[in-house]
Amino acid sequence: YALISKGLPLRWESFVDFYEVDPHALDTGPTQTRGTKHVQYVRNFSGAISTLSRKTMLLVDLNSTIQTALQAMRTCPYTFKDFKSYLDNIQHAVDQLNLEEYSNLQHWVDTTNKIIEGILADRLRHAVKEWIQVFQSSNSQEEQSSTERQRANSSTTEDVLIFRTLTHEILIKNQTIFLRPPLEMARAQWLHQLQDWLSVIGRLSKIEASRYDMTLARRSEIEAQTFHYVPELCANSLASAHAAVGAKI
């Protein structure tokens, strides 16, 4: 828009009279006219169009890469490694946009992080539901093995959960009956495994718009932002998981 505004006051009638419509006219014209405002304007305008075309093609390619990664995150295995791989692809694309100095990048990255947040929240709800199903079906070793085989042979994309069988002994000592280890230890172990299941999402880093704008010293002082708050968006699912643990105790 700024270049077009600069060209409007120029009188183009005289320029057309001196130059034929030839792509090489500006380079082969008379030496005394090569430095005129018209010639310089046309060269600047041509360079701007070339830059716009290159950046548009780059943006289309990078957007395709980002959209592919976002779509893959909806169905990939529920593992930290897989999620991180696709987030790294998105981050590398954003880094390239940053190096090319695209405008409004921070606003676009904030919107993209919101989209990722929604995807991860949906995956976490489904993952907690899977965790509850496996947990409730692990009453016996045979049932658990059967469930694991069904999950492995099904089309589910979740990582296979395995609950280790806990054995409690009922002991009598000094006419006192007690359980070893106590039930609270079982609760703690199950909740710890649930926390590990949730941390697959919570440890993932957000996309940054300006990673390369920070010095190394400054980056060491700033803690990377993560999606640690996503489990809070799935409060109902977590309540169901804790209720399942309480029911088994």
Side-chain angles (χ1 to χ4, degrees):
Y1 176 79
L3 281 175
I4 295 176
S5 299
K6 289 180 180 179
L8 290 178
L10 298 178
R11 297 185 58 184
W12 293 98
E13 295 84 355
S14 59
F15 180 77
V16 174
D17 292 338
F18 282 103
Y19 289 89
E20 297 179 354
V21 183
D22 184 346
H24 303 290
L26 296 179
D27 295 329
T28 59
T31 304
Q32 63 270 21
T33 61
R34 289 187 180 178
T36 64
K37 293 182 179 180
H38 296 79
V39 175
Q40 190 61 40
Y41 174 81
V42 171
R43 286 175 178 168
N44 293 340
F45 196 77
S46 176
I49 292 176
S50 177
T51 300
L52 176 62
S53 177
R54 180 183 63 81
K55 286 196 170 185
T56 301
M57 294 302 298
L58 177 62
L59 183 60
V60 170
D61 292 340
L62 293 179
N63 183 64
S64 176
T65 299
I66 292 171
Q67 295 304 320
T68 299
L70 290 175
Q71 186 62 32
M73 289 179 65
R74 300 179 188 273
T75 56
C76 70
Y78 185 82
T79 64
F80 177 80
K81 180 180 178 181
D82 285 282
F83 284 127
K84 185 177 184 301
S85 174
Y86 292 116
L87 287 176
D88 285 343
N89 290 342
I90 297 174
Q91 184 64 69
H92 292 156
V94 171
D95 290 341
Q96 198 165 350
L97 293 174
N98 183 32
L99 292 176
E100 291 287 342
E101 298 181 344
Y102 281 81
S103 60
N104 301 320
L105 184 58
Q106 182 62 59
H107 175 73
W108 184 87
V109 168
D110 291 342
T111 302
T112 302
N113 276 326
K114 275 292 183 182
I115 296 174
I116 295 173
E117 174 188 302
I119 294 174
L120 295 180
D122 288 341
R123 292 300 308 270
L124 187 58
R125 292 187 189 96
H126 184 67
V128 172
K129 182 179 179 181
E130 292 284 336
W131 188 92
I132 294 173
Q133 290 177 350
V134 175
F135 179 75
Q136 291 177 336
S137 65
S138 60
N139 293 327
S140 68
Q141 187 172 357
E142 291 183 0
E143 289 183 12
Q144 184 174 358
S145 299
S146 175
T147 302
E148 290 170 6
R149 285 195 300 269
Q150 292 176 3
R151 284 168 51 81
N153 295 330
S154 67
S155 58
T156 180
T157 58
E158 307 298 337
D159 193 18
V160 176
L161 274 168
I162 298 178
F163 285 90
R164 188 178 64 181
T165 302
L166 300 177
T167 302
H168 297 268
E169 298 178 343
I170 299 178
L171 303 177
I172 300 178
K173 186 176 182 180
N174 297 330
Q175 299 182 348
T176 302
I177 299 176
F178 61 95
L179 194 66
R180 189 178 65 182
L183 288 178
E184 286 303 317
M185 183 174 293
R187 181 196 298 271
Q189 182 170 334
W190 291 331
L191 293 180
H192 184 271
Q193 186 166 3
L194 175 62
Q195 184 62 37
D196 289 341
W197 198 236
L198 300 177
S199 68
V200 170
I201 298 294
R203 290 184 293 136
L204 296 171
S205 297
K206 281 190 168 185
I207 304 300
E208 297 180 55
S210 54
R211 281 202 308 179
Y212 293 140
D213 292 346
M214 304 180 187
T215 63
L216 293 178
R218 185 183 173 193
R219 280 193 64 83
S220 62
E221 298 174 358
I222 299 177
E223 184 178 356
Q225 293 185 334
T226 64
F227 290 99
H228 65 278
Y229 58 88
V230 170
E232 299 174 5
L233 306 177
C234 310
N236 292 336
S237 298
L238 295 181
S240 298
H242 282 265
V245 173
K248 181 163 289 192
I249 292 294

